């Protein structure tokens, strides 16, 4: 018996899909904000974005991408201000840019 993830995802009701997308996003955001700014977990935001591309309108997916980028850059200030640490700023900026580029290619 093989597990077909695509069938499971497409047979789930819309409310469960929304819960899965938002729940994954929130878990990643909590992990991202709870770890020090030096550790970059922002690339994990690609997971709910990738799931949302299959189920949501492109406009809603774009809003999710913008939210992921804002959350990535917001971690420069929360939990501590890391703007003075240049490597952290560069890593966060590259992570935000990689989320943007990945979403651009996924939406094409």
């Amino acid at each position: 018996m093989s597990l077909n993830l695509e069938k499971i995802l497409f047979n789930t009701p819309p409310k469960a899909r929304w819960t899965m997308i938002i729940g994954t996003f929130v878990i990643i955001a909590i992990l991202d904000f709870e770890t020090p700014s030096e550790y970059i977990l922002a690339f994990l935001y690609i997971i709910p974005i990738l799931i949302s591309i299959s189920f949501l309108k492109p406009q809603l997916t774009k809003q999710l991408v913008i939210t992921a980028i804002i959350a990535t850059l917001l971690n420069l200030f929360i939990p501590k201000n890391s703007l003075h640490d240049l490597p952290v700023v560069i890593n966060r900026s590259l992570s935000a840019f990689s989320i943007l580029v990945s979403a651009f290619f996924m939406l094409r």
Side-chain angles (χ1 to χ4, degrees):
M1 180 178 188
S2 66
L3 180 64
N4 193 347
L5 188 59
E6 186 175 318
K7 280 186 178 180
I8 292 172
L9 288 175
F10 280 101
N11 289 334
T12 56
K15 188 174 183 179
R17 292 179 196 160
W18 272 103
T19 305
M20 182 173 40
I21 292 168
I22 293 172
T24 308
F25 196 88
V26 167
I27 289 170
I28 293 168
I30 290 170
L31 287 172
D32 198 22
F33 285 112
E34 288 297 318
T35 57
S37 295
E38 294 83 20
Y39 300 105
I40 308 287
L41 299 177
F43 60 88
L44 294 175
Y45 286 119
I46 295 297
I47 297 168
I49 292 169
L50 186 61
I51 294 170
S52 71
I53 285 173
S54 301
F55 303 117
L56 301 179
K57 297 177 184 176
Q59 183 178 2
L60 292 173
T61 301
K62 289 176 186 174
Q63 291 175 353
L64 190 63
V65 169
I66 291 170
T67 306
I69 292 171
I70 290 171
T72 300
L73 296 176
L74 192 62
N75 200 353
L76 287 170
F77 305 103
I78 300 172
K80 66 173 187 157
N81 189 353
S82 299
L83 281 177
H84 62 278
D85 197 3
L86 187 61
V88 172
V89 173
I90 292 172
N91 284 337
R92 288 277 161 191
S93 301
L94 286 173
S95 294
F97 185 69
S98 68
I99 291 170
L100 182 66
V101 170
S102 299
F104 173 76
F105 284 118
M106 285 188 267
L107 286 169
R108 290 195 69 160

